[in-house]
Amino acid sequence: MSSVLEQLTAVSPLDGRYWRAAGPLSEYSSEFGLIRYRVKVEIEYFLALAAVPEVVRFPEGFSLASTEQPLRDIYRGFTLEDAGKVKEIERTTNHDVKAVEYFIKNKFDDLGLSELKEWIHFGLTSQDINNTATPLMLYDMVS
């Protein structure tokens, strides 16, 4: 059987015959959507930690104010290519949430925030991320 997605080989009718109506939901209910929301939760958690100066100390030249926008842009501008990078990392880690963590750490390196990347996922479990990302995803999907 072909690995190409067609109406008759889709996992569900939503991906097949109802795609025209249900397609916009893929932004939320797809694996891409779940990865994007995991990234969002990790970034927002880091920003919440970073708001406590006794916890996260920014390197010289950086502050919470100067990094909020670029960090939020990681999930606001999340692309299929980004999701592909997470999946590539996952092939090595064999762990979906750990792959998201490493993806974000790479982004911190790109932003010059390498000193702060150990605060990503600090004190969290994978279930914390999933149990926060999923309801956020569902809320946004129906809003």
Side-chain angles (χ1 to χ4, degrees):
M1 190 177 299
S2 171
S3 64
V4 176
L5 181 64
E6 298 176 17
Q7 274 192 5
L8 295 175
T9 60
V11 174
S12 80
L14 292 176
D15 290 327
R17 69 184 295 170
Y18 301 119
W19 179 252
R20 286 188 193 160
L25 298 177
S26 70
E27 181 180 343
Y28 306 99
S29 62
S30 62
E31 186 167 10
F32 166 82
L34 179 58
I35 294 168
R36 183 168 53 101
Y37 275 85
R38 286 172 174 158
V39 171
K40 180 178 182 174
V41 169
E42 292 277 11
I43 295 292
E44 290 298 333
Y45 178 77
F46 171 81
L47 290 172
L49 282 177
V52 182
E54 295 81 14
V55 176
V56 176
R57 298 194 192 281
F58 283 88
E60 192 168 325
F62 292 94
S63 67
L64 179 58
S66 71
T67 58
E68 278 181 296
Q69 183 70 34
L71 290 176
R72 286 190 171 119
D73 286 346
I74 295 170
Y75 67 81
R76 288 180 177 154
F78 196 75
T79 65
L80 285 173
E81 182 182 333
D82 291 331
K85 289 177 183 176
V86 172
K87 294 303 288 180
E88 186 177 316
I89 296 167
E90 186 182 341
R91 282 192 283 282
T92 302
T93 63
N94 204 30
H95 194 289
D96 50 1
V97 175
K98 186 58 73 175
V100 167
E101 178 187 342
Y102 289 171
F103 169 80
I104 295 170
K105 285 182 176 186
N106 290 338
K107 291 292 188 179
F108 270 49
D109 288 340
D110 295 344
L111 294 169
L113 298 171
S114 299
E115 293 178 40
L116 301 178
K117 64 186 183 181
E118 292 310 315
W119 290 106
I120 300 164
H121 200 77
F122 178 80
L124 297 173
T125 67
S126 297
Q127 283 304 90
D128 295 327
I129 300 303
N130 288 327
N131 290 340
T132 307
T134 301
L136 278 174
M137 184 174 62
L138 293 172
Y139 177 83
D140 287 351
M141 183 169 56
V142 298
S143 295

